Amino acid sequence: MTFQLHPRLRQDCIEVGRFELCQLLMMNDSQYPWFILVPEKAGLREIYQLTKPERELLLEESSYLAENLATLYKADKMNIASIGNMVPQLHIHHIVRYQTDKAWPAPVWGKFDAIPYTPQQIAENLTLIKDRLGNRLN
């Protein structure tokens, strides 16, 4: 079985690049800096399905991403979660939250319709995040 990104993630997100284990996506919702890690292993639904070294690598990539997002976007709080009720493929959300965002303090899921980025905003965010993550991102 070959890895394929779930159609919903492909539809809702913009590809940023790849770490050693995970594909990095940016949710196409300009209301929140929102990124998603997807381990590029076929058939995964849960973190425990990864091997121990893969779980350790996932935690390292997630922590690296979260720390850099928090610094880059000056987060009040980082929301990190693997839910998977709508998209069963294993993926981990990394959402920068502010006490001033319109969903605060509630979760962002299902609160408001997405407001897609403009092409210019996409280009600016991709440049910003790729510059920040440096050579760890392919």
Side-chain angles (χ1 to χ4, degrees), residues 16 35 65 69 72 125-133:
V16 178
F35 294 83
L65 177 62
L69 292 176
L72 181 63
N125 272 289
L126 290 178
T127 297
L128 197 63
I129 194 69
K130 288 178 180 182
D131 286 350
R132 179 69 194 197
L133 298 177

Side-chain angles (χ1 to χ4, degrees), residues 94-114:
H94 294 70
I95 308 167
V96 178
R97 299 297 307 274
Y98 304 102
Q99 292 180 6
T100 56
D101 74 48
K102 68 189 217 175
W104 186 269
V108 299
W109 286 277
K111 227 25 184 174
F112 304 101
D113 289 337

Side-chain angles (χ1 to χ4, degrees), residues 6-69:
H6 189 279
R8 179 77 183 260
L9 291 174
R10 196 174 11 215
Q11 171 190 315
D12 293 349
C13 299
I14 297 149
E15 187 175 329
V16 178
R18 287 172 172 72
F19 289 111
E20 185 178 340
L21 176 66
C22 295
Q23 187 172 143
L24 177 60
L25 307 171
M26 180 174 70
M27 179 66 82
N28 194 6
D29 185 350
S30 63
Q31 298 170 99
Y32 319 93
W34 184 342
F35 294 83
I36 299 172
L37 287 178
V38 184
E40 291 187 310
K41 299 285 181 180
L44 293 178
R45 296 173 68 97
E46 306 293 343
I47 292 171
Y48 67 76
Q49 294 174 309
L50 293 164
T51 65
K52 185 175 182 183
E54 290 169 340
R55 287 192 304 265
E56 291 170 356
L57 186 54
L58 175 62
L59 181 59
E60 171 57 34
E61 290 178 359
S62 176
S63 297
Y64 178 75
L65 177 62
E67 180 178 9
N68 280 281
L69 292 176

Side-chain angles (χ1 to χ4, degrees), residues 68-88:
N68 280 281
L69 292 176
T71 301
L72 181 63
Y73 291 101
K74 298 176 179 36
D76 291 331
K77 175 74 175 97
M78 288 298 305
N79 286 179
I80 302 170
S82 172
I83 307 296
N85 296 344
M86 299 293 289
V87 175

